[in-house]
Amino acid sequence: MDKIKIAIAGIGNCASSLIQGLEYYKEKAEKDAIGLMHWDVGGYRPFDIEVVAAFDIDERKVGEDVADAIFAAPNCTTVFCPDVPKTGVKVTMGNIKDGVSEHMVNYEDDYRFIPSSKKESTDEEIVSVLKESGAEILLNFLPVGSEIATRFYAQCALDAGVAFINNMPIFIASNPEWAQKFEEKGIPIIGDDIKAQLGATITHRTLADLFRKRGVKVERTYQLNTGGNTDFLNMLNRDRLSSKKTSKTEAVQSVLAERLEDHNIHVGPSDYVPWQQDNKLCFLRMEGKLFGDVPMNLELRLSVEDSPNSAGVVIDAIRCCKIALDRGTGGILYSPASYFMKHPPKQFTDDDAYRMTNEFIEGTREN
């Protein structure tokens, strides 16, 4: 089958893990391809994805081949496929907007973004690159809090006529005005805020669902996360956290038997620990009552490499987006969004979302 041609906005750790994975799984067969939820999606395998355009604003990445840019500082994720061949695709200077938090200037170069001195691309130039490259899908991997920049790239996708996968917690697919724009143009969109393969939020949701099914009343819960990548450094600016906290909190609230009062639930990043690099630690606590109103509590510590944890989910999202394009299905892809994203337009339990997504892949469900 033809390659799925993608463009990426933001060549950070998540993009690095994704692009490494596209090469890594070329050497694998289905039976030993660890870490993938689906080997085949509509006839497309993981390595049937090709990066044809990329955008970033860091001086160490702009103008470099994508294969080199994914390993440039401040990227710090695990290198599990060091021999990614040259792609022939150079990273295009993007448009900064609100993509760089002011406080980053106070940190060492290896940990922060260093904006390139090259002229920022206009929306017309971004659209031109998307069209000339033949990109079918644009992935958003911009930093948390980049609301203006995310809207900028979403509009570029609309203007270029390419599908959009919003992996970040800025509300596009779950915003009725933006959703209508994609619906009117018949362009597929999956969003918002990618779930990890097995991360803090999906684990929290699974436990919340277990408590509900077993008749345990949840009274209080928290999820505290620490990490040392640019995402956690960026989130030290609490002004950039509003949509992130909403996304993660609603992902948990939506599967509880009864919504908790705001003061009884806390979900979100806690602190930046540079030496953790791309490792993320989650400290999760749930308090509740069992039979006879007898109290109980659960505490869990989860350690994961943050960016590879999302890459396999993104690979599935890309392939679902492609089969929507093949079928002529536009607008919100509700089923894939509900399974792959923390803040989809419609929340379902993970069991229902999994079933609906498989039905979408098989062609028995439209979206």
Side-chain angles (χ1 to χ4, degrees):
M1 301 180 74
D2 291 338
K3 292 283 188 177
I4 306 172
K5 297 181 178 180
I6 65 168
I8 302 176
I11 309 301
N13 286 309
C14 289
S16 177
S17 293
L18 171 64
I19 294 167
Q20 288 185 66
L22 302 184
E23 185 65 24
Y24 181 80
Y25 285 98
K26 285 181 181 178
E27 305 302 322
K28 301 291 183 181
E30 181 176 3
K31 62 180 177 63
D32 61 0
I34 295 170
L36 292 167
M37 295 185 294
H38 299 90
W39 175 254
D40 183 294
V41 175
Y44 297 102
R45 295 159 300 175
F47 46 82
D48 291 326
I49 299 169
E50 177 185 12
V51 180
V52 297
F55 307 95
D56 204 277
I57 56 83
D58 195 286
E59 68 174 16
R60 293 158 292 189
K61 299 175 183 178
V62 174
E64 299 297 322
D65 189 285
V66 168
D68 297 320
I70 60 174
F71 299 122
N75 290 6
C76 60
T77 192
T78 295
V79 176
F80 58 88
C81 184
D83 301 319
V84 176
K86 299 288 187 184
T87 65
V89 176
K90 303 290 185 183
V91 178
T92 298
M93 178 63 183
N95 196 300
I96 298 174
K97 302 293 185 187
D98 56 350
V100 179
S101 183
E102 299 84 355
H103 77 285
M104 279 195 170
V105 72
N106 299 316
Y107 292 81
E108 295 177 22
D109 290 355
D110 283 349
Y111 300 110
R112 68 182 181 94
F113 304 133
I114 304 177
S116 171
S117 59
K118 293 186 177 180
K119 178 179 173 292
E120 295 177 52
S121 295
T122 64
D123 51 355
E124 292 87 355
E125 290 168 333
I126 299 288
V127 169
S128 177
V129 171
L130 290 173
K131 287 182 174 179
E132 291 176 6
S133 67
E136 301 168 279
I137 304 166
L138 174 61
L139 277 61
N140 176 32
F141 277 130
L142 297 182
V144 171
S146 306
E147 299 217 12
I148 298 171
T150 292
R151 295 186 191 117
F152 171 85
Y153 282 102
Q155 187 61 53
C156 288
L158 284 166
D159 293 343
V162 304
F164 192 62
I165 298 177
N166 184 33
N167 298 303
M168 306 310 295
I170 304 299
F171 305 144
I172 301 295
S174 54
N175 179 309
E177 292 182 12
W178 277 100
Q180 186 176 354
K181 292 179 181 181
F182 282 88
E183 185 73 37
E184 288 174 350
K185 287 206 168 188
I187 297 173
I189 179 171
I190 298 177
D192 301 306
D193 197 8
I194 196 74
K195 283 179 188 168
Q197 179 181 3
L198 204 151
T201 298
I202 190 65
T203 301
H204 206 162
R205 279 174 61 93
T206 300
L207 288 170
D209 187 52
L210 177 65
F211 276 44
R212 177 178 60 83
K213 289 175 177 175
R214 303 299 293 181
V216 181
K217 179 178 175 58
V218 179
E219 295 188 316
R220 286 176 293 275
T221 186
Y222 67 62
Q223 179 197 127
L224 307 176
N225 301 307
T226 68
N229 56 27
T230 49
D231 204 29
F232 278 89
L233 173 57
N234 182 56
M235 289 188 291
L236 286 180
N237 181 346
R238 299 294 169 175
D239 292 337
R240 302 176 71 90
L241 278 183
S242 176
S243 59
K244 180 71 171 178
K245 283 183 62 62
T246 298
S247 176
K248 289 175 71 67
T249 302
E250 284 303 309
V252 177
Q253 288 273 36
S254 66
V255 292
L256 289 170
E258 183 178 332
R259 287 183 68 88
L260 295 174
E261 296 292 334
D262 290 346
H263 62 273
N264 285 327
I265 181 169
H266 178 88
V267 181
S270 176
D271 213 343
Y272 169 65
V273 183
W275 61 260
Q276 281 186 229
Q277 296 196 323
D278 198 40
N279 180 255
K280 177 179 179 178
L281 289 180
C282 164
F283 302 91
L284 191 155
R285 180 178 175 89
M286 301 178 72
E287 298 181 3
K289 288 182 178 176
L290 300 164
F291 184 79
D293 284 344
V294 176
M296 59 79 64
N297 68 75
L298 176 152
E299 290 197 348
L300 177 147
R301 177 187 182 275
L302 173 68
S303 173
V304 292
E305 194 74 0
D306 205 16
S307 301
N309 207 4
S310 71
V313 183
V314 174
I315 284 176
D316 274 15
I318 291 168
R319 293 182 289 171
C320 283
C321 215
K322 173 59 175 173
I323 60 177
L325 288 168
D326 290 345
R327 295 170 184 167
T329 302
I332 299 167
L333 304 183
Y334 288 100
S335 300
S338 69
Y339 191 53
F340 302 143
M341 300 289 166
K342 297 186 186 81
H343 197 270
K346 293 181 181 178
Q347 289 276 13
F348 296 91
T349 66
D350 291 300
D351 287 342
D352 285 341
Y354 177 71
R355 173 182 53 79
M356 292 163 58
T357 299
N358 283 332
E359 290 173 355
F360 173 83
I361 291 170
E362 293 161 3
T364 58
R365 176 181 290 270
E366 183 177 356
N367 66 8

